[in-house]
Amino acid sequence: MPKQENGQREDSLIHNDLSESFEEEVRAFLGDEEKLHLFDDLTKVNPVTTRTVLKCLQARYRVNLFYTNAGCSLVALNPFQPFSCLYSPELMREYHVALCPQDLKPHIFAVAEQTYRNVQKQMDPVNQSIIVSGESGAGKTWTSRCLMKFYASVAASVVSPKGSETVERIERRVLDSNPVMEAFGNACTLRNSNSSRFGKYIQLQLDRFHHLTGASIQTFLLEKTRVAYQAPNERNFHIFYQITKGATAEERLEWNLPEGAEYRWLPNSERNLDEDCFEVTRGAMFHLGIGRATQSNIFKVRHPAGTAGGCWECVPGWDWCWDKSLSQAELLLPTGQPSAPHQAAQRLDLSQKCAPLNFSLPSGTAEHTEVWGLFASCRILAPAF
């Protein structure tokens, strides 16, 4: 037993010596603060600890170096202010024509160019993927937008045998998908004024000439509950504020949106954000092939808050109606008769606050159960009166 105690003491002494030696290494590394910003790859940091890595990132942030490599990954810090020079067309071209983009400063364009060259060289696997992850407010939406702009720029830099007009049209549609997705799927939160409340998988298709031929976007995990409930100091989806702030007088009359009215499901509407621009969304939808008439029908998907016995128009002729005193709702379907334009299809109990309710539709109406991705199934959230 005494030998074991001596052995434990010796192990403890060795451990303490190693700890002190390691701490000395950390202090020595952090001692030269003027050189910390020069570490453009975190794998070069020695010793590697949470403290040394964060200190290096902090030092680079102070000198406006927001990108740092971490081996094959790229760490991006949100500057929370515009830096147009970081994403200019000239800088895109610099990374595109460089012999080795990885030899330039760490940048999202370097990652984009490397994946593009892997496709060109038909390297295995030919299909390339870029994962953009991070916490809320880290800059995922902005990074995705920069990647799409880069690939659109690369495709436009080469003459296509199919004609530049076709290529430009595809590029425009790819880029215009961003404001549409952000309008219908983003909202202002405590940490981010343009927070994506859904996940997305964007796939860009290239032909054998490495030009954009199309794109597909899959969305998932949309935060549908935000339509009916928003945390304090947060907002609903951007599209609702865009409609109430940007609709014309004729559209307000058609959509029953009184000027200056307050809506219960649109908190903090007095805040004016860049994302509240209705014309940007409408223009993007138009370039995506969504005409004015279809847009008008889509924008009729609106909130019923603030009105007694209000309506939620899902599609032309459809109404969601409820009665505060009865705490019930019913789906009204068109009959085609002027004297009785609607008939009740089903009545629902709304006594449970924000309780999910299922309903069934009559035969022949299943095609209207999904409207622009906001409601993926026949479910509604009961309004909290």
Side-chain angles (χ1 to χ4, degrees):
M1 291 298 294
K3 290 183 179 179
Q4 289 183 354
E5 290 179 0
N6 291 335
Q8 291 176 354
R9 290 177 182 175
E10 291 177 0
D11 291 342
S12 178
L13 291 174
I14 294 174
H15 178 73
N16 291 335
D17 290 340
L18 291 175
S19 298
E20 292 178 1
S21 175
F22 186 75
E23 285 296 326
E24 290 179 2
E25 291 183 24
V26 172
R27 286 193 294 268
F29 177 82
L30 297 177
D32 196 355
E33 295 185 1
E34 296 181 356
K35 294 183 178 181
L36 292 180
H37 73 279
L38 300 177
F39 287 88
D40 58 359
D41 193 329
L42 296 178
T43 60
K44 300 177 182 178
V45 175
N46 187 24
V48 179
T49 67
T50 303
R51 183 182 175 190
T52 55
V53 167
L54 292 179
K55 283 291 185 180
C56 288
L57 293 175
Q58 184 183 48
R60 292 178 61 80
Y61 188 90
R62 287 174 178 170
V63 294
N64 295 337
L65 295 174
F66 307 111
Y67 291 104
T68 307
N69 290 324
C72 60
S73 300
L74 180 69
V75 178
L77 301 180
N78 191 341
F80 292 102
Q81 56 181 308
F83 279 88
S84 57
C85 59
L86 272 179
Y87 309 99
S88 64
E90 294 77 17
L91 192 61
M92 290 185 189
R93 177 168 177 76
E94 180 180 346
Y95 279 87
H96 181 50
V97 301
L99 293 177
C100 185
Q102 300 300 330
D103 290 340
L104 301 177
K105 292 181 179 180
H107 201 285
I108 188 60
F109 293 160
V111 177
E113 178 61 25
Q114 189 60 53
T115 56
Y116 184 72
R117 293 187 183 188
N118 290 346
V119 172
Q120 286 182 312
K121 297 175 182 177
Q122 297 291 294
M123 294 182 62
D124 190 31
V126 176
N127 296 329
Q128 301 288 305
S129 297
I130 299 176
I131 299 176
V132 182
S133 64
E135 62 181 358
S136 179
K140 299 184 294 297
T141 299
W142 176 260
T143 298
S144 300
R145 194 185 305 172
C146 290
L147 286 169
M148 296 177 73
K149 285 184 178 180
F150 180 86
Y151 289 124
S153 175
V154 168
S157 64
V158 183
V159 178
S160 170
K162 298 180 180 180
S164 58
E165 184 177 344
T166 302
V167 176
E168 290 177 0
R169 177 175 55 82
I170 295 173
E171 293 161 2
R172 183 64 180 268
R173 287 192 172 190
V174 169
L175 296 179
D176 281 336
S177 64
N178 275 316
V180 176
M181 287 192 298
E182 292 177 15
F184 285 87
N186 288 22
C188 177
T189 64
L190 292 176
R191 304 183 64 179
N192 185 1
S193 63
N194 191 31
S195 177
S196 297
R197 310 314 300 166
F198 66 104
K200 55 182 174 285
Y201 173 69
I202 305 172
Q203 186 180 69
L204 305 179
Q205 289 100 26
L206 306 178
D207 61 14
R208 60 193 182 93
F209 299 103
H210 312 117
H211 300 140
L212 279 176
T213 59
S216 64
I217 301 174
Q218 301 177 28
T219 61
F220 51 93
L221 297 178
L222 177 66
E223 186 189 22
K224 300 177 186 179
T225 55
R226 183 169 290 270
V227 174
Y229 172 78
Q230 305 81 36
N233 299 320
E234 293 194 356
R235 303 207 318 176
N236 212 319
F237 291 107
H238 293 323
I239 186 61
F240 296 122
Y241 298 90
Q242 292 180 6
I243 293 173
T244 55
K245 293 182 179 182
T248 63
E250 293 78 9
E251 290 168 340
R252 290 183 180 279
L253 183 63
E254 178 185 358
W255 300 340
N256 191 22
L257 293 173
E259 183 75 36
E262 296 183 0
Y263 302 96
R264 199 173 310 174
W265 284 5
L266 294 187
N268 304 303
S269 58
E270 70 280 357
R271 296 181 58 183
N272 293 316
L273 305 177
D274 294 337
E275 291 77 18
D276 290 342
C277 185
F278 194 27
E279 287 305 314
V280 172
T281 301
R282 302 183 97 169
M285 293 175 70
F286 183 78
H287 289 125
L288 289 174
I290 305 172
R292 297 297 182 187
T294 305
Q295 287 187 30
S296 180
N297 291 337
I298 291 173
F299 297 142
K300 287 180 181 179
V301 182
R302 62 180 180 83
H303 56 89
T307 59
C311 298
W312 191 341
E313 299 179 35
C314 292
V315 292
W318 287 48
D319 285 336
W320 272 110
C321 298
W322 57 80
D323 189 310
K324 288 184 180 181
S325 60
L326 297 177
S327 295
Q328 291 181 331
E330 60 184 9
L331 175 63
L332 303 180
L333 298 179
T335 62
Q337 302 296 329
S339 58
H342 293 88
Q343 64 177 0
Q346 187 168 357
R347 201 166 183 83
L348 302 172
D349 181 16
L350 300 184
S351 58
Q352 299 297 322
K353 180 179 179 181
C354 289
L357 300 170
N358 296 305
F359 64 91
S360 59
L361 295 176
S363 60
T365 60
E367 67 274 13
H368 296 302
T369 59
E370 184 175 347
V371 182
W372 196 247
L374 282 178
F375 311 100
S377 60
C378 299
R379 306 185 73 191
I380 65 168
L381 289 174
F385 296 119

